[in-house]
Amino acid sequence: MELPKHYDHFAAEGKWYPHWMQKGYFRSVPDNREPYTVVIPPPNVTGVLHMGHMLNNTIQDVLVRRARMQGKNACWVPGTDHASIATEAKVVRLLAEQGIKKSVIGREKFLEHAHAWKDKYGGVILEQLKKLGASCDWDRTRFTMEPKLSEAVLDVFIDLHKKGLVYRGQRMVNWDPVALTAVSDEEVIHKEVNSRLFHVRYAVEGEKDTWVTIATTRPETILGDSAVAVHPEDERYAHRKGKRVLVPLIGRSIPIIFDEYVEREFGTGALKVTPAHDVNDYELGKKHQLETIDILEANGTLSAAAQLHIGEDRFAARKKIVKELEDKGHLVKIEDIKNKVGYSERTDAVIEPRLSLQWFVKMSELAKPALEVVLDGRVRLHPQKFTNTYKYWMENVRDWCISRQLWWGQQIPAWYNDAGDAAVCRTEVEATAQFKAAGQSINGIKQDEDVVDTWFSSWLWPISVFDGFENPDNADIKYYYPTNDLVTAPEILFFWVARMIMAGLEYRGEVPFKNVYLTGIVRDKQGRKMSKSLGNSPDPLELIEKFGADGVRVGMLLTSPAGNDLPYDDSLCEQGRNFSNKIWNAFRLVKGWSVADRPQPASSEAAVAWMRSRIAGSTTEIDGLFDQFRISEALMATYKLIWDDLCSWYLESIKPAFANGVGEPIDKKTYEATITLFEDVLKLLHPFMPFLSEEVWHLLRDRNEGEDIIVTPWPKGGEGDAKLNAEVQHAFDLVTSVRNLRNGKGMSPKDAIDVQVKGRAPMRPAVSTLVGKLANVGAIAEAETVAQGAITFLVGTTEYAVDPGGELDTEAEVKKAEEELTYLRGFLNAVDKKLSNERFVNGAPPAVLENERKKKADAEAKIKALEERLAVLK
């Protein structure tokens, strides 16, 4: 069969993914094997594949494919999140284009439209993940708003309410005045913007021409002020105790209060207090029993409580108020500043802190055990540096606002009667019974209009995907839970990961996963986060088309150590594609050889033994890197094993010679060994490059039905032959030195040369034959002294010499040796300083210490050899 000159990724991807699906390799059901379980961080049902998804899902697939090859029952559960705000916003826009208003058609009709949109467009991202090679069990695909998962959400809400952990109260929330809903902290994007700081003076009541000056970026909120606060130890205001000031423009009398919260060094040391419109002011207001004056309506217009500009948009009113403050002598000055302003992730509206009656989860009681399991290692974060971040968040946890003023989502299972009493239960019938039992009115019963926060469904994900709420003892939940590894982004460590740990401990008494691998953020060459708005995010599907799925997978992982951002450039994917081509070309080279039943050369025997040893040692190294979740480094170890060891050295070492322009046949023993070695590296490669590895696997030799690499056992590691490895590496270093010498001296590589070694060559004879073959060296002769006029060079600490075949440029050789000697003495001095440092010696791990001592010994040996060489030359 004639092999294509180039690897055709379109053909391979189009062939093998359907094949894997048809064979049921991704399907998992409980059996007697060890389970390996991963639940996908469910992407928004509205979403399409972006670079962050590519990175996250490539890592998940690498872990799952390796586990499958290790003989584990690998189960990767896919699914999507209903994404309340994002989906509702899309459907509202869609309806508006048709002239339909959400408020006119009502909840039931709106939800019909939303479900129809979801059925038509939702889940596109899951189909796109298949292009990447994601080996999910698609039969297990779940959706956070499907009936069973919604039932679980409502049951948990009711259960936590019974336990006193869910309550209704008025609190300060992030309010989106466009979406008209509270939003979670993670749905607020803080942007640095050009802003203005307005210094405004308040008249002291009862005193003529006496003022207190404050500074604010939101002058419209002055109309809601309830006090001016200063520090109790600020001498500038000590005489103001018991005094009051007048709110500019409206003249309302408010007290001057004293509180240590105020930073006296900041600005004038005086702070306006607006309890209805700032989180910290709200806390101050509660502490000092201040009036709460809400000057904004839900849509961001000024309310009647503002007294001025009623019904006007907050930003339009701001401009007018600034002009009025200036006209009436209250505006002292305006500063141009940069500050961070919160914007809604979904609508890009400026967020308003707003007091609102909402449902909350008490978090402190749930947070304590969730912190404990991370600190004691039952859940391990990779990299570990995030443990401190997690600890800080959990020790400073705030109650979680879980109600959203939306229709798309699970409607809160709370009912109110005409008196405003609340009953938390599933049905109106149950609510009526509860009201009756409490002696309360059963008239005008209505369900709460709000839905729960999307995160309130996704925090149950590792349990609910296995129907663990519907039936806590079903076969799936008992077998697959707790799951093994979670791959997600650090920015949702608290908002999702921590809450899943809480839910797992509360409802299963076990952590939901054992390891959390935290990816970095994909950034462009300028270090900016990739986003649609910046136009700096390439289309992942276009990348797959251009570079192949395997090329993109390798590109995404080449520079993405856990927890560190990925500086993306298309050249990374190009490098991945080049790697595909390198492997393909190596495969074509091997398959292009004719095979003969002839003796195996000593050089080939040595090369085969060395390559086996390298694969065994590399497999152990790669396994160790996987165990530490150093996925990027595991890829690099695989990459180097194939590119450097297999392609650059091994295949060159065994390649048959050419005679009269025709390649000689390779001996059968070496050929068969090479096919097996190629298979071994393909197994290591498969998790990273599934399509290419499956394609080459099947072309290397005939396979029986079901002999696919995806289910082939993962190779077993070993120590390798350290002595052989060192000898062969020395041989390759010698080959490189001889080649460099030829190039530098203009010596033809076609002319065989003899090499002298001072003392004994640190290589067995079979290994020495590799030097002969690769560097066209006739013989390596051992000698006590190097011949006069020979060019010498060091390989490690061993001195070699070559007769240049003419007069030696002694002056140039002396200069070269002296330069090298100067460098080595400096190097030795640095090593000696380290080894004479008591703190270093006492604190360094034994392996590091041993390595430094070896460096010292090597440097000393090289210096001795160079000094002897210089003595001869001079």
Side-chain angles (χ1 to χ4, degrees):
M1 181 181 76
E2 190 175 340
L3 296 170
K5 190 172 181 183
H6 300 289
Y7 169 60
D8 184 350
H9 74 84
F10 293 107
E13 290 157 17
K15 181 200 305 183
W16 294 115
Y17 201 89
H19 174 77
W20 295 327
M21 289 279 285
Q22 184 264 324
K23 297 291 289 184
Y25 290 140
F26 305 162
R27 183 78 181 116
S28 176
V29 293
D31 58 24
N32 58 4
R33 288 176 293 165
E34 178 189 345
Y36 177 80
T37 317
V38 172
V39 293
I40 200 170
N44 288 354
V45 74
T46 59
V48 292
L49 204 60
H50 61 59
M51 298 300 280
H53 293 133
M54 295 277 278
L55 174 61
N56 185 295
N57 287 282
T58 294
I59 292 167
Q60 288 177 81
D61 195 48
V62 166
L63 294 172
V64 169
R65 286 180 180 273
R66 177 170 175 265
R68 192 180 287 121
M69 294 176 76
Q70 288 177 310
K72 297 173 186 175
N73 188 348
C75 178
W76 183 10
V77 181
T80 49
D81 189 290
H82 63 275
S84 294
I85 296 175
T87 305
E88 185 147 327
K90 274 192 186 288
V91 177
V92 166
R93 279 199 300 271
L94 186 72
L95 292 175
E97 288 167 10
Q98 301 169 35
I100 302 170
K101 281 190 174 179
K102 168 187 162 183
S103 56
V104 172
I105 61 172
R107 185 180 204 118
E108 198 174 319
K109 277 284 179 194
F110 175 79
L111 289 176
E112 283 179 18
H113 283 285
H115 277 289
W117 181 91
K118 179 258 171 188
D119 291 341
K120 187 173 181 181
Y121 299 106
V124 166
I125 191 167
L126 298 183
E127 290 304 310
Q128 292 175 328
L129 284 176
K130 293 176 182 178
K131 300 276 186 191
L132 186 65
S135 58
C136 301
D137 182 349
W138 299 108
D139 293 339
R140 288 184 175 275
T141 303
R142 306 305 295 262
F143 173 53
T144 53
M145 234 175 90
E146 67 178 77
K148 283 185 180 181
L149 273 64
S150 290
E151 297 284 314
V153 168
L154 302 179
D155 287 344
V156 166
F157 186 103
I158 294 164
D159 178 67
L160 292 177
H161 182 263
K162 283 177 184 172
K163 292 172 178 172
L165 294 174
V166 160
Y167 67 93
R168 194 174 187 231
Q170 194 171 52
R171 294 283 186 279
M172 188 70 68
V173 297
N174 300 309
W175 186 261
D176 182 335
V178 173
L180 299 177
T181 182
V183 296
S184 57
D185 289 344
E186 73 277 4
E187 291 162 327
V188 178
I189 307 298
H190 292 276
K191 303 178 189 176
E192 189 171 71
V193 296
N194 293 321
S195 197
R196 294 197 296 169
L197 185 65
F198 301 91
H199 293 254
V200 180
R201 63 182 191 170
Y202 292 49
V204 177
E205 190 175 32
E207 297 183 18
K208 191 176 180 184
D209 291 332
T210 309
W211 310 86
V212 173
T213 302
I214 60 89
T216 180
T217 56
R218 302 160 70 209
E220 68 280 7
T221 62
I222 285 172
L223 306 177
D225 284 356
S226 296
V228 167
V230 295
H231 195 280
E233 295 173 9
D234 193 333
E235 292 176 2
R236 291 171 294 178
Y237 299 103
H239 64 296
R240 297 291 182 204
K241 281 185 181 170
K243 297 285 187 179
R244 299 175 74 84
V245 294
L246 301 173
V247 176
L249 305 184
I250 56 175
R252 181 169 61 246
S253 173
I254 58 174
I256 296 175
I257 62 171
F258 291 76
D259 198 285
E260 291 179 349
Y261 166 74
V262 181
E263 293 180 41
R264 53 188 147 170
E265 297 81 13
F266 183 76
T268 63
L271 176 80
K272 69 189 279 301
V273 183
T274 319
H277 298 288
D278 181 271
V279 175
N280 298 314
D281 290 8
Y282 175 65
E283 296 300 327
L284 272 177
K286 283 199 298 182
K287 183 176 175 182
H288 294 274
Q289 298 180 322
L290 300 175
E291 185 182 4
T292 299
I293 304 165
D294 189 350
I295 63 143
L296 289 176
E297 300 287 2
N299 64 359
T301 59
L302 269 61
S303 70
Q307 301 182 42
L308 300 174
H309 308 294
I310 298 163
E312 291 190 30
D313 177 76
R314 55 191 165 150
F315 298 121
R318 178 181 294 178
K319 289 179 182 175
K320 292 180 180 178
I321 287 168
V322 170
K323 179 76 169 62
E324 289 162 5
L325 288 169
E326 188 174 18
D327 291 346
K328 297 195 176 179
H330 289 287
L331 190 61
V332 178
K333 64 175 178 176
I334 302 173
E335 281 182 80
D336 289 326
I337 63 165
K338 283 188 182 293
N339 71 327
K340 292 211 167 174
V341 175
Y343 287 78
S344 169
E345 184 184 32
R346 299 302 173 191
T347 65
D348 205 38
V350 173
I351 290 293
E352 283 292 341
R354 186 168 193 259
L355 271 179
S356 182
L357 192 60
Q358 304 281 352
W359 286 94
F360 294 86
V361 177
K362 281 184 186 172
M363 298 295 276
S364 57
E365 194 176 314
L366 293 168
K368 284 173 189 169
L371 172 58
E372 189 181 309
V373 297
V374 169
L375 295 182
D376 69 19
R378 277 178 279 171
V379 174
R380 290 184 297 159
L381 305 183
H382 305 275
Q384 199 178 357
K385 68 179 182 181
F386 286 107
T387 302
N388 286 334
T389 308
Y390 182 88
K391 183 173 183 281
Y392 175 79
W393 280 339
M394 299 300 269
E395 288 177 342
N396 296 277
V397 70
R398 289 185 176 185
D399 286 356
W400 173 16
C401 174
I402 56 169
S403 44
R404 297 288 179 270
Q405 290 62 55
L406 301 164
W407 287 348
W408 177 249
Q410 290 92 1
Q411 191 171 355
I412 288 173
W415 307 77
Y416 309 104
N417 61 18
D418 58 358
D421 302 311
V424 174
C425 50
R426 292 293 290 275
T427 66
E428 188 175 346
V429 172
E430 290 175 88
T432 304
Q434 282 191 28
F435 288 134
K436 268 186 183 175
Q440 296 167 333
S441 168
I442 58 170
N443 296 322
I445 296 174
K446 285 184 179 176
Q447 188 174 357
D448 196 309
E449 287 282 315
D450 293 350
V451 298
V452 292
D453 179 12
T454 301
W455 295 104
F456 196 81
S457 56
S458 56
W459 79 319
L460 310 177
W461 186 247
I463 304 173
S464 60
V465 294
F466 299 116
D467 297 327
F469 290 100
E470 180 193 37
N471 180 0
D473 292 315
N474 77 72
D476 274 6
I477 193 74
K478 286 168 77 174
Y479 181 74
Y480 293 114
Y481 188 97
T483 69
N484 293 76
D485 303 326
L486 178 78
V487 181
T488 191
E491 56 261 40
I492 55 173
L493 175 58
F494 175 69
F495 302 111
W496 189 45
V497 178
R499 288 170 181 166
M500 282 191 288
I501 295 172
M502 293 177 198
L505 293 170
E506 181 69 19
Y507 287 102
R508 297 294 304 179
E510 288 183 280
V511 297
F513 27 71
K514 301 175 188 89
N515 296 287
V516 180
Y517 179 100
L518 296 153
T519 66
I521 295 169
V522 184
R523 298 189 181 276
D524 66 12
K525 283 188 280 191
Q526 297 174 46
R528 300 175 303 172
K529 185 176 178 179
M530 288 192 164
S531 68
K532 282 185 197 170
S533 57
L534 287 174
N536 64 345
S537 182
D539 181 341
L541 295 181
E542 288 179 8
L543 291 178
I544 289 172
E545 190 165 319
K546 184 175 181 182
F547 300 110
D550 290 333
V552 174
R553 288 166 68 109
V554 168
M556 295 301 291
L557 290 179
L558 277 172
T559 58
S560 57
N564 291 335
D565 291 350
L566 187 158
Y568 176 79
D569 185 77
D570 278 2
S571 62
L572 292 168
C573 294
E574 189 176 357
Q575 189 177 346
R577 181 183 62 189
N578 292 347
F579 188 38
S580 299
N581 290 334
K582 181 80 170 178
I583 295 164
W584 184 257
N585 289 337
F587 156 68
R588 287 182 70 245
L589 174 71
V590 173
K591 293 301 281 186
W593 292 334
S594 59
V595 183
D597 199 356
R598 59 198 300 181
Q600 183 181 39
S603 58
S604 295
E605 186 179 356
V608 168
W610 168 75
M611 193 66 211
R612 279 197 191 113
S613 174
R614 284 292 300 124
I615 291 172
S618 294
T619 302
T620 300
E621 179 194 358
I622 290 161
D623 284 338
L625 293 168
F626 270 114
D627 289 344
Q628 297 171 64
F629 287 85
R630 290 158 66 180
I631 314 297
S632 189
E633 290 172 62
L635 168 62
M636 279 312 301
T638 309
Y639 184 100
K640 287 176 179 175
L641 176 71
I642 294 172
W643 191 291
D644 297 342
D645 294 344
L646 181 76
C647 298
S648 297
W649 287 112
Y650 174 74
L651 293 180
E652 284 297 308
S653 299
I654 64 158
K655 188 166 68 175
F658 267 75
N660 302 318
V662 179
E664 292 184 6
I666 189 170
D667 68 279
K668 190 175 181 182
K669 190 174 181 182
T670 301
Y671 181 80
E672 286 299 327
T674 302
I675 297 297
T676 302
L677 292 168
F678 218 125
E679 287 176 327
D680 288 342
V681 297
L682 286 177
K683 292 173 197 174
L684 294 172
L685 182 70
H686 178 74
F688 302 106
M689 305 182 84
F691 295 108
L692 172 75
S693 56
E694 193 74 83
E695 179 75 2
V696 175
W697 174 263
H698 283 271
L699 291 171
L700 273 175
R701 66 168 102 228
D702 292 334
R703 307 284 175 190
N704 294 324
E705 181 69 21
E707 284 185 348
D708 298 314
I709 198 169
I710 188 175
V711 288
T712 294
W714 182 255
K716 284 185 168 54
E719 292 182 8
D721 185 334
K723 190 170 186 303
L724 175 64
N725 289 349
E727 288 183 27
V728 173
Q729 187 57 56
H730 185 89
F732 291 156
D733 291 343
L734 177 54
V735 168
T736 302
S737 296
V738 170
R739 287 173 177 173
N740 291 341
L741 182 70
R742 285 182 188 272
N743 289 336
K745 302 297 178 185
M747 299 161 70
S748 171
K750 292 179 181 177
D751 297 334
I753 57 171
D754 292 333
V755 172
Q756 273 189 320
V757 58
K758 188 176 179 185
R760 297 197 64 179
M763 299 175 287
R764 66 196 72 176
V767 173
S768 296
T769 60
L770 286 169
V771 181
K773 177 170 184 178
L774 294 169
N776 196 10
V777 169
I780 301 175
E782 295 176 356
E784 289 303 314
T785 56
V786 173
Q788 187 73 27
I791 299 171
T792 64
F793 55 91
L794 288 172
V795 177
T797 58
T798 305
E799 188 176 3
Y800 288 92
V802 170
D803 183 351
E807 194 174 323
L808 180 68
D809 186 343
T810 307
E811 193 176 324
E813 291 299 311
V814 167
K815 186 183 177 190
K816 182 181 164 188
E818 285 177 338
E819 285 174 355
E820 195 171 347
L821 199 54
T822 302
Y823 166 76
L824 282 168
R825 283 172 176 156
F827 177 79
L828 180 61
N829 186 44
V831 174
D832 278 337
K833 275 184 183 174
K834 257 190 190 179
L835 289 173
S836 61
N837 183 326
E838 202 173 315
R839 279 183 64 189
F840 171 76
V841 172
N842 292 335
V848 172
L849 212 53
E850 183 56 37
N851 190 43
E852 290 301 318
R853 287 175 179 143
K854 186 177 182 303
K855 284 182 190 175
K856 176 181 166 72
D858 285 352
E860 287 171 339
K862 286 179 179 178
I863 288 169
K864 184 172 182 289
L866 279 167
E867 285 173 341
E868 289 173 359
R869 174 64 180 152
L870 273 170
V872 171
L873 287 168
K874 288 179 177 179

